[in-house]
Amino acid sequence: MIKEDLLKMKVMGNRTLLTPSYAVNCPNRLMVFDADTLEPVEASWTYSGESNSTTSTTFLDNYPNKELIVSSAGYQSVTVRSLNISNCAYYGNISGVPTNAMFVVKDNNTISKWGPSASQYPFPDENNYDISNLYTGVKAMSALRRDNTIFAWGDPFVGGMLKPSDLERNDVRDIRMEFGMGMLLGKNIPTVSQWGSYGTGSNDVPDNIASLENITKILTNGTTQVALTDTGTIYTWGVSTVMVLPDEIAALNDIKDVCINSASALALRENGQVVAWGKAYDGGVLPERVSALSDIHTIISTPISFVALREDKTLMFWGQYCWQSSAAETLTNIEYVKSTDDSIHIAIDSSGAIYLWNDYGDLIPAPPISDVVSLTSSYGSFAALKKDGSVIVWGTGQGADISEVSDLLSDILAIYPTYDGFIALKEDKTLIAWGNSSYQEDNASIPVEVQGNVTYQY
């Protein structure tokens, strides 16, 4: 069958945003639909350069630094671009300027930036080429090029300046930026390196970890770093005294995933059980109702708690303010869970209906909507992307006000958070922004060279 005779697919949902957050293991959900009927399509999802694939109508995006190939019999294959939209923000200001700047990788693989504090993040023009991914820190950023080289900019003390030994690397596979530091995963020894206020001196990567050649995932909360290997073992290092890895967990060789929050960590084993360590108050000790389970398939962290999704599509929730069974654990038919920096936690069921709960496990009213593909939050506001490309907003933040852009919010493919606002990417490769004007300029301020030049899928 020739390409013109094949049906077309449409992938929707934002790539997992790589920004500083204790909720560091909340992969975003992508969905694929028939472009004409908007019916879900059973498709194969494969990261570029990898042989392993997942077949489903939905996909959890654990590696947004990689392009994602989606294919299905009778349809034209599509490739979803790696993460190409990010913002650098934190509570406060730099020299009296509100701290929010937007960064976008355009289709010519160069970066454009704008926003109130964009001028606070200068980088030499000679570095702005062949960009693949953006990684946002606090007052610092880094970028990965398509040739696997890296550069950083911003405040040197908190991650804006690489170590001299990393400047010439051309083997970088992934990067993490956190409060006060940056960390990379490379192919060659040392496979892990870090920089910033915690990246020199007492918090250098131990030699026994930097020499590992089979690390598949790196995480950090700014004080503790975690590495997961392809043999199912975990390694940790850092300055935290409460997150030292227990010997009995270090001896395991069947770990399939791991996540961390502000002071504790949770690991998922191949047998569906979970193990935890760190500060008990933040979930580092498992409640009996959780430790007894062997049917957990997904784990996520929140700043002070954990969520586990079970095979029967129910969930478990525990942490600083919730140790007993709560209303959140009565939800059923849940397909996807995630957390936010606003201490609000999200579940989407098989109909696309949404449910919200707080740190105490109490359910919070949510709009009675269905067909939700993804839900994005920002400083008290929520933006739900529906499969027809429309957007529903609500909440207490200024991102809940779309009055100035409501006529533009159609054919949306992905929605990303900014500080007290949102930015949406449309099928025509243009961006729509709204929210608190003190932290982001209005939609008309998006640079002309950006509009029409930010591809989601091709």
Side-chain angles (χ1 to χ4, degrees):
M1 184 178 293
I2 60 175
K3 182 176 180 180
E4 287 73 15
D5 294 329
L6 296 173
L7 299 173
K8 293 184 179 180
M9 292 186 294
K10 177 166 67 173
V11 179
M12 301 179 69
N14 56 301
R15 302 299 303 261
T16 300
L17 197 60
L18 299 173
T19 57
S21 171
Y22 292 135
V24 291
N25 195 74
C26 287
N28 285 325
R29 182 179 73 161
L30 308 181
M31 297 188 70
V32 60
F33 302 95
D34 182 292
D36 294 320
T37 68
L38 296 183
E39 290 300 313
V41 175
E42 191 83 2
S44 175
W45 306 76
T46 310
Y47 284 115
S48 179
E50 296 188 4
S51 57
N52 295 331
S53 62
T54 299
T55 300
S56 178
T57 59
T58 65
F59 184 77
L60 293 182
D61 183 29
N62 284 292
Y63 298 98
N65 57 306
K66 300 179 180 181
E67 290 196 333
L68 185 58
I69 302 167
V70 187
S71 58
S72 182
Y75 286 87
Q76 296 181 23
S77 296
V78 299
T79 298
V80 183
R81 281 203 64 169
S82 55
L83 180 65
N84 55 1
I85 297 176
S86 191
N87 73 299
C88 197
Y90 76 104
Y91 188 77
N93 59 68
I94 301 175
S95 302
V97 179
T99 55
N100 192 66
M102 291 302 307
F103 296 83
V104 169
V105 180
K106 303 188 297 294
D107 291 347
N108 64 358
N109 301 314
T110 64
I111 298 172
S112 285
K113 58 187 174 73
W114 70 97
S117 63
S119 61
Q120 306 290 331
Y121 301 93
F123 53 89
D125 289 340
E126 59 265 27
N127 285 336
N128 192 11
Y129 68 92
D130 204 29
I131 306 299
S132 173
N133 300 96
L134 295 169
Y135 300 82
T136 303
V138 177
K139 298 195 291 183
M141 291 193 66
S142 60
L144 181 63
R145 294 193 183 92
R146 298 168 71 87
D147 63 0
N148 302 118
T149 59
I150 177 180
F151 75 96
W153 67 98
D155 187 334
F157 184 70
V158 294
M161 179 182 294
L162 297 173
K163 289 180 177 179
S165 57
D166 293 328
L167 288 172
E168 302 303 322
R169 294 191 70 142
N170 61 2
D171 67 326
V172 180
R173 298 160 54 194
D174 199 5
I175 303 169
R176 287 293 180 270
M177 301 289 290
E178 245 312 329
F179 296 96
M181 64 169 291
M183 179 170 62
L184 67 80
L185 176 63
K187 294 181 180 179
N188 304 322
I189 297 174
T191 52
V192 181
S193 179
Q194 62 188 71
W195 62 94
S197 60
Y198 294 116
T200 59
S202 63
N203 205 28
D204 282 336
V205 182
D207 290 342
N208 68 307
I209 296 173
S211 62
L212 293 172
E213 298 184 87
N214 63 338
I215 296 174
T216 58
K217 185 175 186 176
I218 54 173
L219 296 172
T220 180
N221 61 11
T223 60
T224 297
Q225 286 65 255
V226 180
L228 175 64
T229 70
D230 62 9
T231 57
T233 54
I234 290 175
Y235 296 84
T236 65
W237 69 100
V239 298
S240 173
T241 58
V242 299
M243 288 188 65
V244 177
L245 186 67
D247 291 342
E248 62 270 22
I249 297 179
L252 297 175
N253 60 5
D254 64 347
I255 303 299
K256 60 186 293 187
D257 197 11
V258 61
C259 58
I260 59 178
N261 63 24
S262 58
S264 57
L266 182 71
L268 175 62
R269 303 178 65 182
E270 292 285 354
N271 60 9
Q273 297 178 342
V274 290
V275 291
W277 72 96
K279 189 177 180 181
Y281 193 54
D282 289 340
V285 174
L286 298 176
E288 289 186 6
R289 71 183 190 280
V290 177
S291 61
L293 298 176
S294 59
D295 64 346
I296 295 172
H297 70 78
T298 300
I299 57 174
I300 70 167
S301 59
T302 86
I304 56 173
S305 56
F306 293 106
V307 184
L309 187 59
R310 303 176 63 186
E311 295 288 352
D312 65 0
K313 298 185 179 182
T314 61
L315 60 86
M316 307 298 289
F317 175 69
W318 72 100
Q320 191 171 119
Y321 299 112
C322 184
W323 281 98
Q324 304 300 320
S325 183
S326 64
E329 294 182 1
T330 66
L331 298 174
T332 60
N333 208 26
I334 300 303
E335 297 281 354
Y336 174 63
V337 291
K338 68 177 294 186
S339 180
T340 76
D341 288 338
D342 304 319
S343 297
I344 303 297
H345 317 292
I346 300 165
I348 301 179
D349 71 11
S350 59
S351 72
I354 57 176
Y355 303 89
L356 307 176
W357 71 96
N358 60 20
D359 281 337
Y360 296 89
D362 301 325
L363 296 178
I364 300 171
I369 55 178
S370 59
D371 294 332
V372 174
V373 174
S374 66
L375 186 61
T376 306
S377 68
S378 174
Y379 205 62
S381 299
F382 297 89
L385 173 61
K386 300 187 66 173
K387 72 176 186 179
D388 64 0
S390 62
V391 178
I392 304 295
V393 297
W394 74 96
T396 58
Q398 295 193 36
D401 180 6
I402 58 172
S403 57
E404 295 186 1
V405 296
S406 59
D407 58 332
L408 303 175
L409 290 176
S410 60
D411 299 323
I412 305 299
L413 294 177
I415 302 173
Y416 294 90
T418 63
Y419 194 89
D420 200 10
F422 301 96
I423 190 163
L425 177 57
K426 302 187 65 167
E427 289 187 45
D428 64 4
K429 307 180 185 181
T430 60
L431 300 175
I432 307 297
W434 69 96
N436 190 332
S437 59
S438 295
Y439 285 90
Q440 61 180 349
E441 295 170 345
D442 59 26
N443 189 62
S445 299
I446 298 175
V448 174
E449 72 270 14
V450 168
Q451 299 292 32
N453 291 297
V454 184
T455 294
Y456 177 81
Q457 67 179 40
Y458 60 91

